[in-house]
Amino acid sequence: AGFYNTLLKSDEPALIVESLNGYRLKERMPTNIGEFCTPIGVVEILKSGSDITLISYGSTLRIVEEAAKALEIETGISAEVIDVQSLLPLDLNMDMVKSVAKTSRLLIIDEDVPGGASAYILNDLLVRQNAYIHLDSAPMTLTAKAHRPAYGTDGDYFSKPSYEDIYEKIYSIMHETNPAKYPAIN
């Protein structure tokens, strides 16, 4: 609703891609539904962290938040979670690179196919924002499989990044960084 409100105040053409899984969620309806606006091109830091930067948007974002919270409780891994919110324009304030400079590690998670939006975000970070100078390990992406998911929510689980996929990928990056502190999961 915030994006629609912002765009309705503009004379510029725009395209909003809504995540279908968002319609399955129940949230409290805001009292100012026709008034609040979401800035376009500005990322939102949902959780502050110091060990790894997690960048996502859309349907995978809630799963990323859950995995980040669980990892902090269970392993002590402190993840910064960023919602890109809009792809064009992307991160006008260059807040993503500020996070990478703080954590030195990067994982981009989305439900698009390999080489889709996550590759676009990674390219922006490496080429326009020069995030590579801050990295202590290879930047990683976690995307959907290169096929269409089966119909229904169970198809998403096997085709798109799941909670377990995200949790294990973050842990494996931290294991590579410090195997003594983060021993291999069997």
Side-chain angles (χ1 to χ4, degrees):
F3 275 123
Y4 285 115
N5 292 336
T6 300
L7 294 173
L8 289 170
K9 293 179 180 179
S10 171
D11 290 334
E12 298 295 321
L15 174 68
I16 294 179
V17 178
E18 295 182 357
S19 59
L20 294 176
N21 287 333
Y23 290 114
R24 296 184 183 108
L25 301 173
K26 300 290 182 195
E27 294 180 335
R28 190 175 305 166
M29 186 172 181
T31 58
N32 61 345
I33 196 156
E35 300 167 14
F36 71 93
C37 294
T38 301
I40 298 173
V42 178
V43 303
E44 182 179 2
I45 298 173
L46 301 175
K47 180 185 174 303
S48 186
S50 57
D51 293 326
I52 187 169
T53 298
L54 307 176
I55 298 174
S56 189
Y57 67 95
S59 294
T60 55
L61 187 61
R62 289 184 190 275
I63 305 168
V64 169
E65 285 182 288
E66 290 173 21
K69 287 176 187 172
L71 276 162
E72 189 152 27
I73 292 167
E74 297 168 12
T75 67
I77 296 172
S78 175
E80 184 141 300
V81 178
I82 297 177
D83 179 3
V84 297
Q85 297 195 96
S86 67
L87 294 173
L88 289 171
L90 176 64
D91 193 16
L92 296 173
N93 299 329
M94 297 178 69
D95 291 323
M96 293 188 301
V97 73
K98 293 171 190 168
S99 176
V100 172
K102 180 171 60 168
T103 67
S104 302
R105 283 172 277 290
L106 171 65
L107 176 61
I108 301 169
I109 307 106
D110 80 316
E111 66 176 349
D112 202 352
V113 295
S118 58
Y120 170 74
I121 295 166
L122 180 59
N123 179 71
D124 186 85
L125 271 163
L126 297 179
V127 176
R128 182 176 70 94
Q129 298 188 34
N130 295 320
Y132 64 89
I133 63 174
H134 303 292
L135 292 169
D136 288 339
S137 60
M140 305 290 282
T141 62
L142 181 59
T143 65
K145 308 288 187 288
H147 63 78
R148 293 182 52 103
Y151 183 74
T153 56
D154 58 341
D156 283 358
Y157 181 82
F158 295 103
S159 296
K160 299 177 181 180
S162 68
Y163 171 88
E164 291 83 6
D165 296 333
I166 296 166
Y167 188 104
E168 289 171 7
K169 186 71 165 183
I170 296 166
Y171 192 87
S172 72
I173 292 169
M174 296 308 296
H175 168 72
E176 175 191 341
T177 303
N178 189 342
K181 186 173 180 182
Y182 306 105
I185 299 175
N186 294 329

